[in-house]
């Protein structure tokens, strides 16, 4: 942000509008002042400016315009205008207060002079591989024609719609009216859901509203509970203006010591329950049990408002029928659960028993005069994006137990989210939906219907399904842990160190026995771990999937590269066959490149075990490799289609016209692959004229340089593979950058690969016997000079203890001739490698169990599908299920004649269809996308 | 225009390139008379676009480097009376810091959120100013006053400092807008 030491003041006659903040759900009021940039500006006296302020103003005035509240825009008349978006001191919500986001409202609007200058001003259409601007009329005509044709040809469900529900009701009204009403498609969802379902389904099942409180309740409450919510930093103004002034004690449930948690423990007489992530249900259950033990429940409320057995018998909604319980049943359940005793809960959740007791007192202990304590229960992402249904259901049950709803100072509510409003122009057409769960119709899971080919047009409005949940403050989190910034795909554990003692003396002379024993021991070790961070948990999850697979393929996409693979030296030359199928330009091997790469973790184990047990046969039982599918910008349909054909290695049906996705899916089914998928941003290369020229220039320069080094070689000739040729702009640029990276890498090879590692001069040319062969290969096959990519680019520069960069040992020039090499490979390893998935969306991992028994593979696939079928179950890593102690808590259900939410959202449970897409693992924000798919 | 009346009414010092006497809050008086600064001295801040309406900030000696004790703030008004600032030796290098360790910095003590005085909330252990008594905003003084927690949407305004061979620390400009003011050099703003 530019540093300013002055802000022009709006003149008294400036245009003034009242608006609400564009960011969070608190909904602070702002005043927008607009006046010509050419002036005249206001003056600092009260009569001379639109704010009526006599400058300088004092603390809490709510009339100061901070630099971040000011911007310059250009309107359609071509003139520049000053804009000031200032917190509205007359607004009852914020009273002139603002958060860091709200104070920056003006920075987010379009300005020709700021970082927002490059926002689109025209519709773009992709023509001839490039995004071209067209007129609005043309865009509307194209959309109308296309949608009309698709509807006529395929029917309403051919349209999928994903749309935003923020800003104003006016936006969702026409969208839903058009798609749910006129077009009639069941394939629709708002921006962050898998289907048209709610975010707090359990709450609506119980009969409570998601937003069931007024701001005044915060000031009247005797206790404020923040469950998985960081009110100070995420609901700034609500917290500052409507909770802090009353100084009520707080109960903060959060694995992290947030500022809100610190506030609860130091500023007011509250308590912070620092639980182990994912144990919310047990904690809530323990609190409920303690309430019942002490007889602190609000009997009057419960008797008047919870369902009787008769009510439940007459229930029609299927989820309520399934989960509902009377109060007595609920009490019996809570008292039956061993996990809910204070001692057990303390052990499971990591929260000391006395803190649970203290929290229970704060939440439910009646006042001295016998009236129930006024408790305001708030919860947010920590609860909703964890084990959604059970957690929210448990909190809803707590609300019923304490009568926290519908009375001053008492209530339950979400505490967060963006501005949202949903006004349906038409109801979701559940009758058209084809997904079911246990025989009940549920809203369609869009992505599945797209994968099935039912959807022909995907209309995305104000949403980003590709990058969903992966961006944080405009940064792509990808495989980096949101809190620690750690890359979960590095620093894989050293399995040898972990299991060597368990294996001591148990290895036999039977190779097969040894492999099975090792795998079993690894599995036991994984199961015995209790991960402390999300990154550790991911590593264990992935390792669990991979530890007993014959082939482990880690599909990546580099920043800028040709196709290449990384693998272990022992696996060569077998895996070269795989590299050939892929058309890899280079194969890189290393026993240990440092940093703990995934493709090394299992080979390391077998290698070290073999070395440590010289008398016992320990084969290299895991063929692991990282497949780098070019650069992130190489997003071209024909490359993808070509790659999708390659994994099969089956050239016969290469050109039968089968769409790539369908072929991929067929292959996946045929080979019983389990795929885990993560994602980093797709970079759609911009192809404006200027960019093209720049690229061309770069190629020319690099081409000339290369030619200078290598003698006469025409530009573009250096690209490794025929199919890449013609993609001059991308492939040649990749080759050029690969070549330059290679020369850098090559310098380091001399250091790491040569005899003398301490040799300070790494600028000598690469000297390695293999490279002579490489030269010949290169000349013969027109390979680029040394198409390596520096693997240590951003997150994992491998260095030795002395800080010197380590680079993998390079094996090049080992391409066996097609015929002979094949035969050798067949003799050596009868099963050909397979198990690739299209890797163009970024980082993809395919974990193939090629040689495990068919029965086992089938079981595993079913298990994987089954996990995804059961929406109301906790995810497999959820402690509740891992420990096998917890049953589903039955949720008490409120009687019918209670107010239902004003905007009726159809409740949903996710698809019960067998999963045919690879399971998605969002490497960001822990498991949000997997979970949200299962538990909308 | 009524600018002069306003200035008189509020008893602002006139700043027309001349010197300013500045009273330290601790009672000590450090007055200095130095000629007007050339244009844009403070704009030398690296990597940041600085927009100054009035580059003629006063050049004022506020302390001597040799008198500073790490962790003991010195308060002074700059660029005008009523705009209180804090000079402190952080004990660790800071952006825009001066002195041999680049650890001497000066900041406005008016919270850039809603203007509460931050005079008494300096935390030497972390080199932060805060939490603010009103809404707990906290600023990192080694990172040019970045808001590290709380509600402010702007950095805490930082005073541009220079140090002489004699060790005299001079305030020569201001990065950012002081809370409550439409312009740091208020009297001049009115003329615009």
């Amino acid at each position: 942000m530019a540093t300013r030491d002055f802000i022009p003041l709006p003149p008294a006659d400036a245009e003034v509008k009242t608006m609400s903040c564009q960011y969070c759900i608190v909904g602070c009021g702002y005043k927008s002042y607009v006046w010509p940039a050419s002036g005249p500006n206001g003056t600092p006296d009260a009569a001379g400016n639109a704010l009526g302020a006599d400058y300088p103003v004092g603390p809490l005035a709510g009339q100061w315009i901070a630099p971040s509240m000011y911007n310059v825009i250009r309107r359609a008349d071509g003139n520049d205008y000053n804009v000031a978006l200032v917190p509205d001191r007359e607004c009852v919500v914020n009273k002139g207060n603002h958060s860091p986001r709200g104070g920056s409202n003006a920075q987010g609007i379009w300005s020709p002079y700021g970082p927002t200058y490059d926002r689109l001003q025209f519709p773009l259409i992709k023509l001839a591989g490039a995004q071209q601007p067209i007129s609005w009329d043309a865009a509307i005509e194209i959309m109308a024609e296309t949608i009309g044709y698709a509807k006529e040809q395929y029917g309403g469900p051919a349209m999928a719609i994903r749309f935003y529900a923020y800003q104003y009701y006016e936006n969702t009204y026409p969208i839903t009216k058009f798609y749910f009403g006129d077009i009639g498609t069941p394939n629709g969802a708002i921006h962050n859901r898998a289907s048209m379902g709610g975010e707090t389904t359990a709450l609506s099942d119980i009969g409570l509203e998601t937003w069931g409180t007024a701001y005044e309740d915060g000031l009247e409450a005797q206790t404020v509970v923040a469950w998985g919510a960081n009110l100070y930093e995420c609901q700034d103004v609500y917290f500052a203006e409507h909770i802090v002034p009353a100084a009520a004690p707080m109960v903060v449930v959060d694995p992290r010591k947030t500022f809100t948690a610190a506030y609860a423990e130091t500023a007011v007489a509250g308590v912070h329950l620092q639980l182990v992530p994912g144990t919310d249900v047990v904690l809530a259950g323990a609190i409920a049990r303690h309430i019942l033990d002490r007889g602190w429940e609000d009997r009057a409320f419960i008797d008047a408002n919870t369902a009787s057995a008769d009510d439940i018998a007459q229930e029609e909604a299927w989820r309520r029928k399934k989960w509902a319980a009377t109060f007595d049943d609920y009490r019996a359940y809570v008292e039956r659960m061993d996990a809910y005793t204070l001692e057990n809960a303390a052990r499971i959740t990591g929260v000391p028993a006395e803190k649970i007791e203290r929290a229970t007192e704060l939440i439910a202990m009646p006042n001295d005069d016998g009236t129930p304590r006024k408790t305001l229960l708030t919860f947010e992402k920590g609860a909703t994006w964890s084990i959604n249904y059970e957690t929210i259901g448990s909190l809803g049950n707590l609300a019923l137990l304490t009568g926290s709803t519908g009375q001053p100072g008492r209530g339950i509510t979400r505490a967060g989210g963006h501005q949202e409003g949903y006004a349906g122009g038409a109801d979701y057409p559940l009758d058209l939906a084809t997904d079911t769960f246990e025989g009940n119709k549920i809203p369609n899971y869009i992505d599945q219907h797209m994968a099935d080919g039912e959807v022909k047009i995907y209309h995305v409005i104000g949403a980003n399904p590709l990058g969903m949940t992966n961006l944080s403050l405009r940064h792509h989190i990808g495989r980096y842990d949101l809190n620690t910034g750690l890359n979960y795909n590095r620093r894989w554990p050293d399995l040898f160190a972990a299991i060597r003692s368990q294996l001591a003396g148990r290895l036999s002379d039977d190779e097969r026995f040894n492999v099975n024993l090792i795998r079993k021991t690894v599995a036991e070790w994984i199961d015995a771990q209790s991960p402390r961070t999300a990154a550790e948990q991911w590593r264990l999850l992935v390792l669990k999937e991979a530890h007993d697979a014959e082939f482990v393929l880690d599909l990546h996409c580099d920043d800028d590269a040709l196709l290449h693979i990384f693998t272990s030296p022992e696996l060569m030359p077998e895996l070269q066959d795989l590299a050939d199928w892929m058309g890899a330009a280079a194969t890189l091997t290393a026993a240990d490149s440092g940093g703990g790469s995934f493709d090394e973790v299992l080979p390391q184990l077998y290698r070290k075990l073999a070395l440590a047990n010289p008398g016992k046969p320990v084969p290299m039982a895991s063929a692991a490799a990282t497949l780098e599918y070019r650069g992130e910008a190489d997003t071209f349909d024909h490359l993808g289609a070509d790659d999708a054909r390659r994994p099969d290695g089956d050239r016969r049906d290469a050109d039968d016209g089968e769409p790539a996705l369908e072929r991929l899916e067929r292959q996946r089914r045929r080979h019983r692959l389990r795929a885990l998928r993560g994602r980093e941003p797709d970079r759609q290369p911009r192809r404006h004229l200027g960019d093209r020229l720049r690229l061309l220039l770069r190629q020319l320069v690099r081409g000339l340089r290369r030619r200078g080094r290598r003698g006469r070689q025409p530009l573009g000739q250096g690209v490794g593979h025929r199919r890449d040729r013609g993609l001059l702009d991308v492939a040649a640029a990749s080759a050029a950058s690969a070549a330059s990276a290679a020369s850098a890498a090559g310098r380091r090879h001399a250091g790491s690969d040569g005899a003398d590692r301490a040799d300070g001069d790494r600028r000598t040319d690469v000297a390695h016997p293999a490279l002579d062969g490489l030269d010949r290969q290169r000349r013969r096959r027109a390979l680029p000079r040394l198409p390596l990519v520096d693997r240590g680019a951003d997150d994992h520069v491998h260095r030795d203890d002395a800080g010197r960069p380590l680079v993998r040992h390079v094996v090049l020039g080992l391409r066996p001739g097609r015929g002979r090499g094949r035969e050798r490979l067949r003799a050596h390893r009868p099963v050909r490698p397979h198990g690739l998935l299209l890797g163009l969306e970024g980082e993809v991992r395919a974990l193939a169990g090629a040689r495990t028994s068919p029965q086992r593979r089938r079981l595993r696939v079913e298990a994987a599908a089954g996990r995804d079928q059961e929406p109301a179950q906790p995810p497999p890593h959820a402690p509740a299920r891992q420990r096998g102690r917890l049953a589903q808590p039955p949720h008490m259900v409120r009687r019918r004649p209670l107010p239902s939410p004003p905007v009726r959202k159809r409740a949903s449970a996710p698809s019960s269809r067998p999963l045919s897409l690879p399971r998605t693992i969002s490497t960001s924000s822990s498991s949000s996308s997997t979970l949200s798919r299962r538990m909308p | 225009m009524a600018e002069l009346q306003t200035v008189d009414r509020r008893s602002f010092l006139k700043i027309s390139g001349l010197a300013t006497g500045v009273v330290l809050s601790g009672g000590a008086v450090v007055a200095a008379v130095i000629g007007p600064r050339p244009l844009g001295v403070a704009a030398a801040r690296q990597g940041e676009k600085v927009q100054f309406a009035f580059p003629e900030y006063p050049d004022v000696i506020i302390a001597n480097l040799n008198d500073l004790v790490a962790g003991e703030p010195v308060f002074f008004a700059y660029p005008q009376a009523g705009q209180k600032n804090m000079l402190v030796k952080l004990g660790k290098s800071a952006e825009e810091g001066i002195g041999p360790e680049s650890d001497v910095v000066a900041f406005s003590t008016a919270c850039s959120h809603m203007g509460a005085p931050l005079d008494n909330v300096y935390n030497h252990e972390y080199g932060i100013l805060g939490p603010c008594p009103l809404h707990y905003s906290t600023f990192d003084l080694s990172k040019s006053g970045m808001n590290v927690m709380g509600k402010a949407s702007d950095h805490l305004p930082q005073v541009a400092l220079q140090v002489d061979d004699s060790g005299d620390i001079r305030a020569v400009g201001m990065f950012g807008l002081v809370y409550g003011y439409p312009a740091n050099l208020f009297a001049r703003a009115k003329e615009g």
Side-chain angles (χ1 to χ4, degrees):
Chain A
M1 191 183 304
T3 305
R4 305 180 63 97
D5 71 343
F6 76 101
I7 292 293
L9 292 172
D13 61 348
E15 232 177 77
V16 186
K17 286 184 180 137
T18 301
M19 54 175 272
S20 79
C21 175
Q22 63 172 318
Y23 293 107
C24 85
I25 193 73
V26 173
C28 297
Y30 281 77
K31 284 267 197 265
S32 130
Y33 302 92
V34 182
W35 72 103
S38 54
N41 294 331
T43 55
D45 48 297
N49 62 71
L51 286 93
D54 215 353
Y55 288 97
V57 293
L60 290 174
Q63 289 170 310
W64 182 56
I65 307 175
S68 53
M69 298 172 190
Y70 165 78
N71 209 339
V72 178
I73 60 167
R74 183 171 297 156
R75 283 189 166 168
D77 63 9
N79 295 322
D80 287 353
Y81 290 85
N82 288 322
V83 176
L85 304 183
V86 187
D88 187 352
R89 61 182 189 148
E90 287 159 11
C91 175
V92 294
V93 174
N94 55 326
K95 307 176 177 106
N97 201 340
H98 69 87
S99 68
R101 299 178 296 285
S104 310
N105 267 316
Q107 301 303 310
I109 54 181
W110 180 78
S111 166
Y113 307 109
T116 57
Y117 78 95
D118 61 350
R119 289 206 180 141
L120 293 185
Q121 296 177 60
F122 300 99
L124 297 180
I125 187 168
K126 193 168 182 179
L127 282 176
Q131 302 274 15
Q132 317 277 3
I134 57 170
S135 73
W136 284 104
D137 285 346
I140 290 168
E141 200 177 326
I142 291 170
M143 286 288 287
E145 286 288 326
T146 321
I147 293 173
Y149 174 80
K151 180 178 163 126
E152 200 173 290
Q153 199 75 12
Y154 304 103
M159 244 75 62
I161 170 75
R162 187 177 287 284
F163 59 101
Y164 63 161
Y166 35 90
Q167 294 186 344
Y168 303 103
Y169 292 130
E170 288 86 338
N171 294 323
T172 51
Y173 186 85
I175 295 170
T176 48
K177 186 175 166 64
F178 181 59
Y179 277 101
F180 293 157
D182 295 347
I183 297 283
T185 177
N187 298 320
I190 67 166
H191 52 92
N192 64 341
R193 314 279 163 83
S195 64
M196 200 66 199
E199 189 153 344
T200 53
T201 317
L203 220 50
S204 42
D205 282 357
I206 288 175
L208 294 164
E209 288 183 39
T210 305
W211 304 99
T213 64
Y215 282 2
E216 288 87 345
D217 289 331
L219 292 171
E220 287 198 40
Q222 291 174 288
T223 299
V224 178
V225 180
W227 199 295
N230 183 4
L231 298 181
Y232 172 72
E233 283 171 295
C234 305
Q235 296 254 286
D236 308 50
V237 173
Y238 174 54
F239 185 72
E241 297 292 336
H242 303 278
I243 289 181
V244 169
M250 285 191 74
V251 176
V252 177
V253 182
D254 200 317
R256 305 164 301 163
K257 183 115 181 166
T258 59
F259 182 87
T260 313
Y263 170 88
E265 293 207 315
T266 55
V268 292
V271 61
H272 174 207
L273 309 182
Q274 201 164 4
L275 80 176
V276 173
T279 58
D280 305 67
V281 178
V282 180
L283 186 59
I287 292 174
R289 181 168 174 145
H290 200 53
I291 290 174
L292 291 170
D293 282 351
R294 298 291 180 95
W296 287 344
E297 72 271 15
D298 187 347
R299 252 349 271 226
F301 177 87
I302 292 167
D303 289 344
N305 290 294
T306 58
S308 67
D310 283 350
D311 293 335
I312 294 172
Q314 290 167 21
E315 186 58 56
E316 284 172 3
W318 67 270
R319 275 203 317 271
R320 284 170 67 104
K321 258 195 301 198
K322 184 176 168 69
W323 298 109
T326 62
F327 174 71
D328 292 334
D329 287 347
Y330 173 76
R331 173 194 278 273
Y333 155 76
V334 169
E335 286 170 355
R336 198 170 60 233
M337 289 296 293
D338 283 344
Y340 294 172
T341 64
L342 276 183
E343 302 72 39
N344 286 341
R347 199 163 44 78
I348 295 169
T349 63
V351 179
E354 58 273 16
K355 282 204 174 189
I356 302 179
E357 280 185 297
R358 171 79 184 128
T360 311
E361 283 171 14
L362 287 175
I363 290 172
M365 189 164 76
N367 295 315
D368 293 341
D369 60 1
T371 54
R373 195 173 172 89
K374 292 178 180 177
T375 300
L376 179 65
L377 286 159
T378 71
F379 64 92
E380 196 39 53
K381 296 290 184 281
T384 54
W385 286 3
S386 185
I387 304 164
N388 181 295
Y389 196 84
E390 290 87 339
T391 306
I392 307 296
S394 305
L395 296 180
N397 283 346
L398 274 186
L400 294 195
L401 271 185
T402 55
S404 300
T405 182
Q407 295 164 70
R410 307 169 76 186
I412 179 165
T413 181
R414 267 186 62 191
H418 50 76
Q419 284 279 15
E420 56 191 299
Y422 182 93
D427 280 347
Y428 176 77
L430 193 64
D431 50 326
L432 295 176
T434 48
D435 287 4
T436 56
F437 181 75
E438 294 179 354
N440 303 294
K441 262 190 189 250
I442 56 172
N444 277 7
Y445 167 33
I446 299 184
D447 291 5
Q448 185 63 64
H449 288 263
M450 286 177 61
D452 290 349
E454 179 186 335
V455 171
K456 306 297 179 193
I457 296 182
Y458 192 16
H459 194 175
V460 177
I461 306 175
N464 183 6
L466 261 186
M468 212 158 79
T469 75
N470 279 348
L471 287 178
S472 175
L473 298 176
R474 296 188 180 181
H475 288 282
H476 198 279
I477 303 304
R479 53 191 178 180
Y480 299 91
D481 186 278
L482 204 55
N483 290 323
T484 60
L486 287 178
N487 178 351
Y488 93 88
N489 197 23
R490 289 293 175 273
R491 298 192 188 87
W492 290 86
D494 181 358
L495 292 176
F496 174 70
I499 66 165
R500 65 188 299 185
S501 56
Q502 283 95 309
L503 280 179
R506 293 172 65 195
L507 291 175
S508 75
D509 293 331
D510 178 8
E511 187 175 298
R512 204 63 229 165
F513 173 87
N514 287 349
V515 170
N516 288 338
L517 178 68
I518 293 167
R519 287 177 176 167
K520 188 162 157 281
T521 317
V522 170
E524 286 166 2
W525 177 81
I526 292 171
D527 288 341
Q529 300 306 300
S530 38
R532 287 159 303 174
T533 64
E536 285 181 10
Q537 191 172 29
W538 280 124
R539 285 184 199 129
L540 292 172
L541 274 173
V542 176
L543 263 187
K544 188 75 191 282
E545 295 287 314
H547 77 283
D548 58 350
E550 301 283 321
F551 289 82
V552 176
L553 302 176
D554 191 354
L555 273 67
H556 279 247
C557 194
D558 216 303
D559 295 340
D560 193 3
L562 293 179
L563 246 170
H564 61 287
I565 79 172
F566 289 96
T567 188
S568 294
E570 293 90 340
L571 296 168
M572 292 299 288
E574 288 84 354
L575 281 186
Q576 186 58 42
D577 200 25
L578 165 67
D580 284 346
W581 265 316
M582 292 166 56
T587 303
L588 287 79
T589 67
D592 181 4
S593 60
S597 298
F598 182 58
D599 64 75
E600 291 168 6
V601 65
L602 288 161
Q604 284 273 30
L605 170 67
Y606 291 106
R607 179 184 304 116
K608 288 182 177 175
L609 279 173
L611 285 172
N613 301 281
K616 308 290 180 189
V618 178
M620 178 57 69
S622 170
T626 297
L627 317 183
E628 296 277 0
Y629 270 92
R630 304 188 191 79
E632 286 176 6
D634 301 338
T635 50
F636 294 93
D637 291 345
H638 62 281
L639 280 183
D642 200 13
D643 288 339
R645 278 195 286 273
R646 281 174 180 275
D648 207 14
D650 192 349
R651 291 295 184 161
R652 281 170 308 178
D653 57 359
D655 292 305
D656 61 1
E658 185 180 10
L661 262 181
E662 287 169 24
R663 176 187 304 275
L664 192 65
E665 181 52 26
R666 186 169 54 73
Q667 291 174 2
R668 201 186 68 78
R669 288 208 173 108
R670 184 197 298 172
H671 299 311
R672 306 248 200 280
L673 299 187
R674 287 163 298 149
L676 306 176
R677 189 163 64 177
R679 208 178 246 143
E680 294 209 5
D682 299 336
R683 292 188 200 152
Q684 178 65 41
R686 289 197 176 198
R687 300 255 167 258
H688 297 308
L689 186 60
D691 291 340
R692 284 180 161 268
L693 285 175
R694 214 173 302 128
L695 202 56
L696 197 61
L697 198 65
R698 206 169 67 192
Q699 290 158 21
L700 281 172
V701 171
R702 287 184 176 167
L704 288 174
R705 276 189 197 149
R706 204 165 55 227
R707 208 183 312 188
R709 278 201 306 266
R710 300 170 52 192
R712 294 180 60 81
Q713 185 178 15
L715 182 66
Q717 199 71 22
V719 179
H721 288 274
R722 189 159 307 164
R723 65 203 170 79
D724 285 345
R725 221 170 277 158
L727 283 171
L728 190 77
D729 44 358
V730 169
S734 306
S737 64
S740 67
S743 62
R747 283 199 297 275
R748 273 178 275 161
H749 286 301
S752 62
D753 184 39
D756 184 8
R757 276 197 161 195
D759 181 6
D761 180 17
R762 300 201 170 87
R763 292 171 192 281
T764 53
D765 255 333
V766 181
H768 191 283
L771 292 180
D772 292 331
L774 169 72
D775 259 4
R776 285 197 297 279
Q777 291 277 344
R778 195 171 60 226
R779 278 195 295 274
R780 196 163 68 238
R781 303 184 56 171
L783 282 174
R785 182 168 166 77
L786 193 59
L788 294 179
V789 174
D790 185 1
R791 202 183 188 197
D794 52 352
D795 55 331
H796 50 281
V797 179
H798 310 315
R799 291 176 189 282
D800 63 14
D801 293 338
R804 290 181 295 262
L806 289 176
V807 169
R808 291 164 166 252
H809 175 70
V810 184
V811 177
L812 289 165
L814 279 177
R815 288 169 184 278
R818 282 273 165 189
R820 197 160 51 87
R822 277 286 160 77
E823 278 163 23
R824 204 174 71 205
L825 292 181
R826 282 210 190 90
H828 194 77
R829 192 177 282 258
V831 179
R832 66 170 189 233
H834 53 232
L836 302 187
L837 281 177
L838 186 59
L840 294 179
E841 283 175 338
E843 193 178 280
V844 180
R845 289 169 197 83
L847 303 166
R851 281 206 300 197
T852 44
S853 74
Q855 188 188 5
R856 189 163 173 197
R857 288 197 306 258
R858 200 178 63 241
L859 283 176
R860 195 179 289 146
V861 168
E862 281 165 2
R867 278 205 291 278
D868 288 81
Q869 274 179 20
E870 301 167 279
Q873 299 290 333
H877 58 277
R881 201 163 161 202
Q882 256 176 14
R883 294 163 201 229
R885 284 196 197 96
L886 299 181
Q888 299 298 313
H891 298 299
M892 291 192 288
V893 174
R894 287 182 64 164
R895 278 194 182 141
R896 259 307 152 103
L898 278 171
S900 62
V903 178
R904 190 177 166 81
K905 293 182 191 173
R906 294 259 182 194
S908 83
S911 164
S912 66
R913 303 172 64 89
L915 189 79
S916 67
L917 260 191
R919 286 167 54 208
T920 299
I921 286 190
S922 159
T923 51
S924 69
S925 62
S926 57
S927 53
S928 52
S929 78
T930 356
L931 293 178
S932 63
R933 176 183 296 178
R934 292 200 204 106
M935 295 167 216
Chain B
M1 303 289 281
E3 66 273 21
L4 287 178
Q5 288 171 14
T6 309
V7 171
D8 289 345
R9 189 178 70 212
R10 295 190 173 274
S11 304
F12 277 121
L13 298 179
K14 276 189 177 180
I15 305 164
S16 51
L18 281 180
T20 310
V22 182
V23 181
L24 287 184
S25 70
V29 175
V30 178
V33 179
I34 298 179
R37 297 300 309 158
L39 293 184
V41 165
R45 185 170 184 153
Q46 284 198 341
E48 193 161 9
K49 189 178 166 196
V50 185
Q51 297 178 32
F52 286 116
F54 305 98
E56 308 97 339
Y57 273 85
D59 185 335
V60 181
I61 293 179
I62 50 178
N64 192 288
L65 204 53
N66 304 317
D67 300 339
L68 281 184
V69 179
E72 287 184 13
V74 174
F75 296 92
F76 63 99
Y78 185 86
Q80 307 180 72
Q83 298 175 340
K84 199 171 175 187
N85 304 281
M86 184 185 98
L87 176 80
V88 67
K89 183 175 168 61
L90 291 176
K92 61 177 178 182
S93 81
E95 297 206 13
E96 300 299 317
I98 57 160
E101 281 96 46
S102 304
D103 63 343
V104 177
V105 289
F107 285 89
S108 166
T109 56
C111 177
S112 61
H113 177 227
M114 296 193 84
L118 301 172
D119 299 2
N120 302 319
V121 291
Y122 172 63
N123 182 322
H124 187 61
E125 184 185 355
Y126 298 108
I128 56 174
L129 201 51
C132 170
L134 276 183
H135 304 104
Y136 312 118
S137 291
T138 305
F139 304 89
D140 190 335
L141 301 190
S142 66
K143 295 191 171 63
S144 56
M146 181 174 72
N147 178 31
V148 288
M149 187 186 75
K151 314 221 178 300
S153 48
D154 286 79
H155 283 32
L156 201 58
Q158 183 169 14
V159 182
L161 301 174
Q162 286 185 356
V163 63
D164 292 343
D165 293 341
S166 62
D168 282 343
I169 299 170
R170 305 198 324 270
V172 295
M174 200 88 188
F175 304 115
L177 180 60
V178 177
Y179 174 85
Y181 290 78
N184 286 345
L185 301 183
F186 182 61
R188 285 307 201 77
K190 296 185 61 56
E191 290 165 17

